[in-house]
Amino acid sequence: MSGRKGDLAYENFLKGYNCTQAVAVAFAEELGLSEERAARLSSGFGGGMGRMREVCGTFSGVVLVLSQLYGYSEPKNLAAKTELYERIRELADRFRAANGSIICRELLGLKEAEKSAVPEARTPEYYKKRPCPELCRFAADMLENYIAEQEQ
């Protein structure tokens, strides 16, 4: 299932972007943003939101892109809000089915949230123990496929 966006997201993570940035930057063109703006906009969502290990950053990237492509701006438009939430839930179900969870700490096998906001150094050992690059690939491929399904 590996596609162009998945490969870009994987490479972005290996460049040092956090997981949300890796996905968002892969979709910068679709977001109507420069890569720099996409990276800045998504920067706080990494590490399960500020390294709290909550919602997986790759999935936060999916939500960010879905919001730009299918979101709403009129706060009282309940139909549009419902439609967007349904899309998010559908992709959350797909992500969970393939990966077991959309929660960062569960995907990393952690018992509790991180105590420190300081990111770990990106060493070869870091990459060996982290599923993050592959989750970036999966999330971006899933999203690319979903967008293609909507265009049919």
Side-chain angles (χ1 to χ4, degrees), residues 130-145:
R130 288 277 191 260
C132 306
E134 286 301 331
L135 290 171
C136 289
R137 183 190 310 274
F138 178 85
D141 282 341
M142 177 185 70
L143 185 54
E144 183 177 30
N145 291 335

Side-chain angles (χ1 to χ4, degrees), residues 13 18-21 23 42-67 88-89 91-93 95-96 99-108 110 112-114 132 135-136 139 142:
F13 188 83
N18 72 39
C19 39
T20 308
Q21 289 175 311
V23 174
S42 59
S43 61
F45 294 91
M49 298 196 180
R51 204 165 184 266
M52 292 186 294
R53 305 301 187 207
E54 297 296 336
V55 173
C56 172
T58 67
F59 193 74
S60 292
V62 168
V63 173
L64 188 96
V65 174
L66 285 174
S67 296
I88 292 167
R89 286 168 169 249
L91 290 186
D93 288 345
F95 193 94
R96 269 192 215 95
N99 300 294
S101 180
I102 64 165
I103 303 300
C104 176
R105 70 179 163 277
E106 292 173 4
L107 293 164
L108 295 179
L110 302 173
E112 57 186 38
E114 297 282 348
C132 306
L135 290 171
C136 289
M142 177 185 70

Side-chain angles (χ1 to χ4, degrees), residues 22-41:
V23 174
V25 169
F27 286 89
E29 184 177 333
E30 289 81 357
L31 292 171
L33 300 171
S34 67
E35 288 186 7
E36 179 183 352
R37 293 294 292 163
R40 182 177 290 272
L41 180 66

